[in-house]
Amino acid sequence: MEAVKAEIVQCQRCEGMNIHDVTQAAPGYGSPESPVVVVGQSLCGKPCMRAQIPFTGGSGRFLNLALERAGLTKSDIFTTNVVHCHPPANRPSLPHEIANCRPYLLRELKIIQPRLVVGLGKDASAALRDVYPDADAMPWPFAAPPGRQPRAASPKLLAVPHPSWIKWQPLERREEYVESLARALRWAFGSSKPR
C-alpha cells in the first residue's frame, strides 16, 4: 500500500492534475485491513488536499457521523476515490482521468479485499460496478443480509447518494442517511474489532 500511495502522490498521468494545492492528489486513507472501503468520485477541495485524507470537512461530516454511530473512526476503514486528484473548479472527472486513475483504485481494492464497498454518488457507484461486475448490489437504505460474507469472496456493493446531495435534504432524511450508513459499517465489521 505504501508503494501505491507514493505513486499516487507523484502521479503526472493527466495534464493539469496533481498541482499542489490546486488539483493535488491524495491517496486512499485508513486501514489496509478494513472490511469496508468507501469510494468517492474524486478528491474534494483544499481541506482534503491539505490533510491528504479523502472526505475531510464539508459533506464528509455525514461519513464522520456514521462512523461515530458505528463506533469507528476514519482510520478504522479505508476511504479512497475513483480519481485521486481534485478536478479544476470542482468539475466532474473526465473519462480519461477515470481511466488513468483506475489502476490505483484496483490495486487499493486488491490489497484490502473488503467485504463491502460503498460508492458515494452515481459516478463512483458506476465505476465500482465496472470493477466488480458480478458482485451483489445491496439495497439502499441498507438492510443487512443474513450471516457474514468471507473476505476472499467478491464484496457486496452499496450505492449511496452523495453526501453533498444529502446535506440539502430534510433533517429526517439526513438522519436516515447517517443511520443506514452506520448499519452498513457495523455489518461489514461484524464482530471483528478494529485494531
Side-chain angles (χ1 to χ4, degrees):
M1 188 65 79
E2 292 306 313
V4 179
K5 289 180 177 182
E7 288 180 40
I8 291 169
V9 168
Q10 298 171 24
C11 183
Q12 294 295 312
R13 292 181 181 186
C14 302
E15 186 176 353
M17 297 292 260
N18 206 8
I19 298 169
H20 180 74
D21 217 27
V22 179
T23 59
Q24 186 175 350
Y29 171 82
S31 172
E33 297 175 3
S34 172
V36 60
V37 174
V38 176
V39 182
Q41 171 57 41
S42 58
L43 190 69
C44 64
K46 291 191 186 295
C48 295
M49 288 187 270
R50 290 173 180 164
Q52 289 288 284
I53 299 173
F55 309 109
T56 296
S59 56
R61 73 180 186 272
F62 293 104
L63 175 58
N64 293 340
L65 287 169
L67 286 164
E68 183 179 345
R69 197 167 293 185
L72 300 165
T73 66
K74 200 174 277 182
S75 62
D76 294 326
I77 66 167
F78 193 85
T79 55
T80 190
N81 287 290
V82 174
V83 173
H84 292 77
C85 289
H86 173 67
N90 284 324
R91 66 156 168 74
S93 300
L94 301 176
H96 77 275
E97 294 165 350
I98 295 169
N100 286 344
C101 228
R102 180 182 168 93
Y104 298 135
L105 177 64
L106 292 176
R107 286 166 65 194
E108 289 172 331
L109 292 168
K110 185 176 181 181
I111 290 166
I112 295 168
Q113 297 183 17
R115 283 189 190 98
L116 179 69
V117 182
V118 179
L120 294 183
K122 292 178 183 177
D123 293 338
S125 297
L128 290 170
R129 282 193 297 275
D130 287 342
V131 173
Y132 298 111
D134 300 324
D136 291 336
M138 304 297 294
W140 180 262
F142 181 79
R148 282 190 33 185
Q149 179 172 335
R151 289 289 287 268
S154 182
K156 304 283 189 187
L157 297 183
L158 180 64
V160 176
H162 198 280
S164 65
W165 174 80
I166 203 69
K167 71 180 179 182
W168 300 107
Q169 302 307 305
L171 180 61
E172 182 178 314
R173 197 156 191 182
R174 283 180 272 157
E175 168 61 24
E176 178 189 50
Y177 182 94
V178 170
E179 181 54 37
S180 187
L181 191 50
R183 280 198 307 270
L185 293 166
R186 285 193 294 266
W187 173 82
F189 275 85
S191 61
S192 64
K193 300 287 185 186
R195 292 180 185 177

